[in-house]
Every structure is written in structure tokens, then in C-alpha cells.
Amino acid sequence: MKPIKVGVVGLGMVAQIMHLPYLKESDRFELAAVCDVSRKLADRMAAHYGAPYACTDVDDMLRHGNVDAVFILTFNHCDIAKKAARAGKHMFCEKPVAFSVQEAQEIKRAVDKAGVTFMIGYMKRYDQGFLLGLKHFERMKKKKDVRMITVHDACFANDLAIRSMYNLVKYNDVPQQIITDGITTMEMRLRQAVGKNAPAHVLSAYRLLLETGSHDVNVLRGAFGDPHKVLHTEIWPEGNWIATTLDYGGNVRCNLCVARSARNWPDEFITAYGLTDTVTVEFPNPFHKNAATEVRRTFMHGDATTYETTKASHEEAFEAELRHFHDCVRKNKTPLTSLDQGIEDTKLMADIVKAFNGRR
Ligand SMILES: NC(=O)c1ccc[n+]([C@@H]2O[C@H](COP(=O)([O-])OP(=O)(O)OC[C@H]3O[C@@H](n4cnc5c(N)ncnc54)[C@H](O)[C@@H]3O)[C@@H](O)[C@H]2O)c1
């Protein structure tokens, strides 16, 4: 099997904890280049992971890095994605793909023109527990049993949850202008999505949805497709809680709640409530490598109630998504977590925020 030569752009948290180690371990990939606006970080990661080329500018990497595919692990993705597409590179891009639908569509135009593979890193879609839960959800849908779906993600404080597990490397050598430009671009795109006069707490809730809730919105899409419309949204004055009700047609509704909390434990699940079945897929802390996702099913048989709990596998979802990316590039297939899904997710998240009428 010929490995795909990868160039990684953005060498921060998710690169150091997940992608660099798994890329290094896999014989499907060869780490050909690393790039970060922090010179010291680029050199340190190149030395640690044995990448033959390190740089601070993605243009240099695309010219001299000898890569077939680019991993985009920065916060702002659009400019890097457009450049990589113009250079004919395949792309793996972390979620959220973009801060606004317009930005995501700019990426799509470049990707379509180049005819390259583009996959979004929604790793939960490749999680064996979620795949088992999907089978139960499918059965419930077939029986027209589903009435209510609850999606809940009270995410934890990353710093607290990660500090005790990993030694992340970070330097203070990024030029201030680059940091300022990145924040300005992001804020412009956020306002493009939810309105240029949106108040701070609404912008903050939208960011929370993008950064954390995008996983949940995509999991919901994977299980139940696109909702017909957004019925109602609440945003808390601190901008750190957002709750919405989605109409899935007929008698089916979904309550989705995403919150940023100060605690250090995860609290993330999707539950489908039916007339005869209840099925929950509960995700573990994503930074606990190989922790199993739990699938719980409660159902009636005659007068008896059965409570069934399954841990389908300890396979790491971050590794499973890499295998899928390799497969898509080599076999020229559209990824399960495609750019089109990322565009739909971005649109839904903006619609959720725009349904907030400003009152509580
Ligand atoms: N799948 C997941 O569960 C998951 C988890 C964490 C983060 N993420 C996503 O991964 C992305 C990165 O998040 P993070 O927490 O690792 O961020 P981070 O801030 O820790 O790392 C980002 C790195 O990118 C570098 N960078 C910024 N702009 C750059 C540019 N133009 N060229 C080269 N390098 C540049 C920064 O210097 C930094 O080292 C985000 O999109 C985030 O949403 C996904």
C-alpha cells in the first residue's frame, strides 16, 4: 500500500494529541511536512515526528513540501483550503469547516474546480458505538416509533480536562499581526453568518455551536437527516448556553442543547425516544483515547422491561476517520463527512442562532 504524503498545517492541541501521533503510527500515511506560524513549534514537531520539511507559511509547504494531502488543523481554514485546492492537494479539514456558509461555499468552489478529496474531521461519525446506535435508530425510524430526539452537549473546559493528560508544546513566537488578522477574519465571518449587529452573547453562542455543537449537529444529521425547520431558540445572556427545538416533520421534534461549562467531565449524548424503545448513544471524553462510547437501549417485551448497555468497541474514532480518509483518496470516493454536509451544518447552526428573538 502506497502511503499518502501528508503536510500538516496547524500544530496545536488537536494535532499534538491526535493527528500527529496517529499519522506517524499508520503505514497508510507518511508525514512529509509540517507548518505552523510558530517557527519554534514547527521545528520542534518536525524533529519529534521526523517530518523532513518544516515551515511557517503554507505557500512554502505547497511549493517545497512534497505532499499529496494537506491536513488543515488551524482555526481559520478557508485561505489554506483554497491554496491547497489550487495546488491540487487532497484535504482533511478539522471541524467546523468554516464560520459562515459563504466561507464554506468559497472552499467548495475551489475544491470542485480542483477535483480533489475534501473530508471534515467529524470523528464521532466513525465511532463504533455511534455506528451501533445508528442501527437501533434505523429500526426505530422504520417502525415510525420516534417521537422525540434529545441531543445534549455540556462540554467541559478543555484546559482542565487536558492539562492532567498531555504535555502540550506551545511557544510565544507568533507575530502579533498574524494573531490579530486571524481574529479579525474570524469575527468578520461570524457576523457574515448571524448578522453584522449581532450582540456579543449571540456571537459567543454561535461560536460555541460551531466549535462544540458542530459535532452534535453532524451526529444528528448522520442519524436523522436535516430538520424541516428551526422552531425556537434560547440563548443565555452569558452566551454559554444555547437550546433549540427542531421540527423533524409529523410528530417528531428534536431538542438540542449545547453548553460551555467549567467542569472537567463530558456530558454528551443523543437519545431517541419512541413509543416502544428508548436508545441513547453517550460519547466519552474525546481526549480519553480509546474510551468506548456507550449505547443504551430500553425496551418492553410483554410486561418485562429490558435495559441493555453495550460498549461496542475501544477503537479510537480519530484513527478510524484517518482510515476512511485514506480510502476516499485512494479510491476516489466522497467522504462520509463531506464538504456538502459541512455546508449544511453551517447553515443549520446559523439558522438556529437567527431563530433567537432576543428575549428570554
Ligand atoms: N475533532 C475534534 O474533536 C477537535 C478537537 C479540538 C480541536 N478541533 C479543531 O481543530 C482546529 C484546531 O484546534 P486546536 O485546538 O488544535 O487549536 P490550537 O490553537 O491549539 O492550534 C492551532 C495551531 O494553528 C497554528 N496556526 C494558526 N494559523 C495558522 C496558519 N495560517 N498557518 C499555519 N499555522 C497556523 C497556531 O499557531 C496553532 O499552533 C479547530 O478547527 C478546532 O475546532 C477539533
Side-chain angles (χ1 to χ4, degrees):
M1 180 175 35
K2 202 166 152 242
I4 295 172
K5 290 186 191 141
V6 167
V8 175
V9 188
L11 305 171
M13 182 180 74
V14 79
Q16 290 179 40
I17 297 178
M18 297 295 176
H19 297 299
L20 287 167
Y22 289 133
L23 284 169
K24 179 77 183 164
E25 277 170 24
S26 170
D27 55 8
R28 293 176 169 82
F29 299 97
E30 181 184 323
L31 186 64
V34 290
C35 169
D36 198 288
V37 285
S38 162
R39 175 84 249 175
K40 287 183 184 169
L41 188 58
D43 289 343
R44 172 90 181 259
M45 289 300 126
H48 191 78
Y49 288 98
Y53 185 80
C55 62
T56 57
D57 186 337
V58 69
D59 288 323
D60 290 337
M61 195 186 87
L62 293 169
R63 264 196 299 271
H64 308 296
N66 188 24
V67 304
D68 309 316
V70 174
F71 272 49
I72 304 174
L73 311 181
T74 53
F75 266 93
N76 289 289
H77 302 150
C78 188
D79 283 349
I80 297 168
K82 287 194 290 189
K83 286 177 178 179
R86 277 200 293 275
K89 309 299 179 191
H90 303 292
M91 278 166 270
F92 173 95
C93 179
E94 264 302 343
K95 47 49 61 179
V97 66
F99 298 118
S100 69
V101 172
Q102 293 90 329
E103 192 182 27
Q105 277 164 341
E106 283 179 31
I107 297 176
K108 180 163 168 64
R109 280 193 289 278
V111 165
D112 285 352
K113 194 167 170 202
V116 291
T117 299
F118 189 100
M119 172 169 152
I120 302 177
Y122 288 128
M123 75 292 182
K124 291 175 207 283
R125 294 285 300 282
Y126 304 91
D127 179 303
Q128 290 298 328
F130 178 67
L131 295 176
L132 172 65
L134 263 191
K135 288 185 187 152
H136 294 311
F137 293 147
E138 285 305 322
R139 198 176 21 75
M140 289 175 79
K141 283 194 284 185
K142 224 186 225 163
K143 285 197 302 180
K144 298 198 185 312
D145 193 40
V146 181
R147 290 296 176 277
M148 189 72 204
I149 306 156
T150 298
V151 181
H152 175 87
D153 188 356
C155 75
F156 47 87
N158 272 351
D159 278 2
L160 279 177
I162 290 165
R163 209 184 300 133
S164 58
M165 289 190 267
Y166 302 100
N167 291 318
L168 295 182
V169 182
K170 195 176 163 88
Y171 298 99
N172 288 323
D173 62 339
V174 180
Q176 187 54 44
Q177 193 58 47
I178 292 183
I179 297 173
T180 309
D181 289 351
I183 294 170
T184 308
T185 304
M186 179 183 71
E187 282 178 356
M188 183 273 284
R189 295 300 196 172
L190 293 173
R191 289 193 181 279
Q192 184 178 48
V194 295
K196 68 177 186 335
N197 297 320
H201 68 297
V202 172
L203 278 188
S204 173
Y206 181 51
R207 262 195 82 175
L208 172 65
L209 262 191
L210 289 167
E211 284 170 19
T212 298
S214 55
H215 279 301
D216 309 295
V217 163
N218 191 261
V219 154
L220 178 63
R221 178 181 307 289
F224 295 100
D226 211 20
H228 294 203
K229 64 176 178 201
V230 181
L231 292 174
H232 177 79
T233 296
E234 291 274 330
I235 291 174
W236 276 245
E238 301 88 355
N240 58 355
W241 288 77
I242 178 164
T244 190
T245 305
L246 308 172
D247 180 356
Y248 266 88
N251 288 328
V252 187
R253 300 287 179 272
C254 170
N255 277 343
L256 180 142
C257 173
V258 181
R260 188 185 292 117
S261 75
R263 43 182 137 155
N264 68 354
W265 67 89
D267 187 2
E268 183 179 8
F269 61 85
I270 174 170
T271 298
Y273 298 92
L275 299 177
T276 61
D277 254 88
T278 300
V279 173
T280 295
V281 176
E282 177 148 19
F283 295 101
N285 180 332
F287 297 106
H288 282 178
K289 293 185 180 187
N290 299 94
T293 292
E294 196 165 282
V295 182
R296 294 190 295 274
R297 185 177 166 225
T298 311
F299 56 97
M300 304 272 296
H301 199 78
D303 282 347
T305 310
T306 302
Y307 299 89
E308 188 183 87
T309 300
T310 311
K311 291 193 174 185
S313 165
H314 285 274
E315 181 187 60
E316 175 51 53
F318 276 96
E319 277 193 283
E321 71 176 355
L322 287 190
R323 277 203 307 278
H324 183 70
F325 179 66
H326 181 275
D327 212 33
C328 290
V329 170
R330 285 291 176 242
K331 297 181 184 153
N332 201 16
K333 290 196 304 200
T334 303
L336 175 67
T337 48
S338 65
L339 180 51
D340 285 342
Q341 289 207 1
I343 293 173
E344 289 306 311
D345 291 346
T346 315
K347 182 174 181 316
L348 177 56
M349 289 185 280
D351 286 348
I352 287 172
V353 169
K354 286 190 277 189
F356 175 56
N357 65 11
R359 288 194 301 272
R360 274 202 80 225

